Amino acid sequence: MNAIITLLAGLLFGLGLAFSEMTNPAVVIGFLDIFGNWNPSLIIVMASAIAVGMIGYFIKGKQLRPFLGSTWQVPTLRQIDSKLIIGSSLFGIGWGISGYCPGPGLTALVNNPNEGIYFVGALIIGSGLHYFQTKISHK
């Protein structure tokens, strides 16, 4: 059952990305280009995501445990540190340069394989470097 729910959630997420055109780097870059030819259409996508998140937190406040799980999986860190600032800055710079973030970037393997292969390759290499750096620093 968990696998089916995960598949359905992934399909819904993918459809949302495609419908909102977040899989199109030109639309994303147009949204991020506030001093140029700005395209504010992704504000609706962000507002929708925030609304869904708020509903989730509302449900969490009313339920002792999730419908399909034993415990709630909620981030507990509240500290803004250098790792958060550097990581979010690198994410934002990469998103602004390429027009892709990880979810829509994976769709580029099909929609635009000439660009997608570079993005996904860089994503894998960056994730691997972070993984090995974390392993080394925790020894």
Side-chain angles (χ1 to χ4, degrees):
M1 185 63 162
N2 194 25
I4 292 170
I5 296 297
T6 301
L7 175 66
L8 291 175
L11 287 173
L12 180 62
F13 179 72
L15 285 171
L17 291 176
F19 182 73
S20 67
E21 292 196 69
M22 283 199 65
T23 58
N24 181 350
V27 171
V28 174
I29 290 172
F31 174 70
L32 296 173
D33 186 11
I34 58 174
F35 298 112
N37 190 19
W38 187 51
N39 177 358
S41 64
L42 292 183
I43 289 175
I44 296 168
V45 177
M46 288 185 180
S48 299
I50 290 169
V52 169
M54 289 175 68
I55 291 168
Y57 273 97
F58 176 78
I59 291 170
K60 181 193 171 291
K62 301 290 183 188
Q63 298 281 124
L64 292 177
R65 65 180 201 82
F67 297 120
L68 300 172
S70 58
T71 60
W72 291 103
Q73 302 291 321
V74 179
T76 57
L77 295 177
R78 302 271 188 239
Q79 180 180 354
I80 297 175
D81 59 5
S82 61
K83 287 182 182 181
L84 177 64
I85 292 170
I86 292 168
S88 58
S89 297
L90 288 172
F91 178 89
I93 290 167
W95 192 26
I97 289 171
S98 70
Y100 293 117
C101 67
L106 292 175
T107 67
L109 288 174
V110 175
N111 297 342
N112 190 358
N114 292 333
E115 287 181 9
I117 193 72
Y118 294 113
F119 177 82
V120 173
L123 178 67
I124 291 169
I125 291 168
S127 297
L129 289 172
H130 177 265
Y131 173 79
F132 289 117
Q133 182 272 329
T134 303
K135 287 283 233 185
I136 291 169
S137 68
H138 284 103
K139 284 188 175 183

